[in-house]
């Protein structure tokens, strides 16, 4: 939940035009893993095999591309740059071969605006997109929804990409029962949405924060709703 709020804050502020620097640092090290004795907790990862460490996914991708061969990991330790060669360990995940550095990574952001999100008794990352929309609504003039009752779900990363969640069918009915008439669903969940949309609610699909904003603004301004992306005939 904390990571989700941080990513949502970064995505919202970037959408609003703010510069939001970020860094990826080592949070934990597997004592029996590939990086034991090579990397240290709080090392800031700057590159892998010469490619900038722009995201955790980018780091994972470079490690997988090496297919078990040693990779050069650039880092900063107490502000001093360095690099080390790490040979990833092979493992299995869901029947697939993966290669691991043996570290837990944490992404942090230097937010130019203090953002506080108050939400009790809720866990998981699925509210990320709605957090981001709420921040933009709060920091923008007027009412982003135009008084319409929206609900939605979806993870979000700092670049504004919306990802899938679990239990979307139940969330659709819960949103309808709470009075929502419009629902934002991750595009990646559309196969679970089609044929399961309750009466009284209209579903739009989204894959980015920008796309979600377009939906809200189109509804608010009385635009052509039929031109907006949906999850197919079920929406």
């Amino acid at each position: 939940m904390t990571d989700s709020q941080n990513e949502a804050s970064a995505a919202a502020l970037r959408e609003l035009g703010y510069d939001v620097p970020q860094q990826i640092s080592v949070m934990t090290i597997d004592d029996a893993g590939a990086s034991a004795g090579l990397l240290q907790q709080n090392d800031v990862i700057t590159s892998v095999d010469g490619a900038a460490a722009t995201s955790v996914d980018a780091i994972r991708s470079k490690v997988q591309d090496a297919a078990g061969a040693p990779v050069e990991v650039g880092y900063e330790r107490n502000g001093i740059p360095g690099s080390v060669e790490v040979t990833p360990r092979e493992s299995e995940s869901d029947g697939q071969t993966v290669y691991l550095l043996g570290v837990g990574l944490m992404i942090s952001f230097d937010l130019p605006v203090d953002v506080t999100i108050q939400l009790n008794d809720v866990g998981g990352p699925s509210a990320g997109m709605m957090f981001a929309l709420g921040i933009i609504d709060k920091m923008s003039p007027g009412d982003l929804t135009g008084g319409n009752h929206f609900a939605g779900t979806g993870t979000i990363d700092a670049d504004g990409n919306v990802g899938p969640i679990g239990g979307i069918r139940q969330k659709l009915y819960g949103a309808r029962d709470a009075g929502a008439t419009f629902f934002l669903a991750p595009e990646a969940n559309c196969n679970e949405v089609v044929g399961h949309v309750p009466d009284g609610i209209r579903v739009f699909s989204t894959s980015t924060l920008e796309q979600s904003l377009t939906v809200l603004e189109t509804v608010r301004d009385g635009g052509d709703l039929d031109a907006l992306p949906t999850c197919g005939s079920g929406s």
Side-chain angles (χ1 to χ4, degrees), residues 156-233:
I156 200 164
D157 66 19
D159 293 322
N161 298 303
V162 175
I165 51 81
I168 193 165
R169 294 177 186 175
Q170 293 88 341
K171 290 173 182 176
L172 284 166
Y173 280 88
R176 191 277 310 274
D177 292 346
T181 53
F182 298 102
F183 192 97
L184 292 167
E187 183 180 39
N189 284 118
C190 273
N191 62 324
E192 301 171 74
V193 171
V194 174
H196 298 278
V197 178
D199 293 337
I201 195 167
R202 186 163 184 175
V203 178
F204 300 102
S205 69
T206 179
S207 59
T208 66
L209 179 58
E210 184 178 10
Q211 198 171 44
S212 300
L213 285 167
T214 297
V215 172
L216 266 64
E217 291 163 358
T218 301
V219 173
R220 179 195 64 196
D221 298 339
D224 183 6
L225 303 190
D226 292 333
L228 295 172
T230 69
C231 285
S233 60

Side-chain angles (χ1 to χ4, degrees), residues 33-207:
S35 297
L38 300 174
L39 294 172
Q40 296 181 12
Q41 191 176 26
N42 298 320
D43 283 350
V44 176
I45 306 301
T46 57
S47 65
V48 177
D49 273 353
T54 55
S55 69
V56 173
D57 284 343
I59 293 172
R60 288 177 180 147
S61 179
K62 289 297 290 185
V63 171
Q64 299 315 304
D65 288 347
V71 294
E72 191 75 16
V73 179
Y75 63 86
E76 286 187 4
R77 182 176 298 160
N78 299 320
I80 300 173
S83 66
V84 66
E85 187 177 87
V86 180
T87 303
R89 302 279 176 85
E90 184 176 324
S91 184
E92 293 290 323
S93 177
D94 296 328
Q96 300 291 321
T97 299
V98 295
Y99 299 93
L100 305 175
L101 292 178
V103 295
L105 299 176
M106 176 180 67
I107 186 167
S108 58
F109 304 95
D110 184 9
L111 300 178
V113 176
D114 289 333
V115 178
T116 301
I117 299 174
Q118 181 64 44
L119 188 64
N120 297 325
D121 302 322
V122 177
S126 62
M129 178 186 67
M130 299 307 287
F131 283 149
L133 290 173
I135 293 167
I136 292 173
D137 188 26
K138 199 73 172 177
M139 296 182 65
S140 302
D143 182 355
L144 191 58
T145 66
N148 294 286
H149 192 163
F150 274 89
T153 188
T155 65
I156 200 164
D157 66 19
D159 293 322
N161 298 303
V162 175
I165 51 81
I168 193 165
R169 294 177 186 175
Q170 293 88 341
K171 290 173 182 176
L172 284 166
Y173 280 88
R176 191 277 310 274
D177 292 346
T181 53
F182 298 102
F183 192 97
L184 292 167
E187 183 180 39
N189 284 118
C190 273
N191 62 324
E192 301 171 74
V193 171
V194 174
H196 298 278
V197 178
D199 293 337
I201 195 167
R202 186 163 184 175
V203 178
F204 300 102
S205 69
T206 179
S207 59

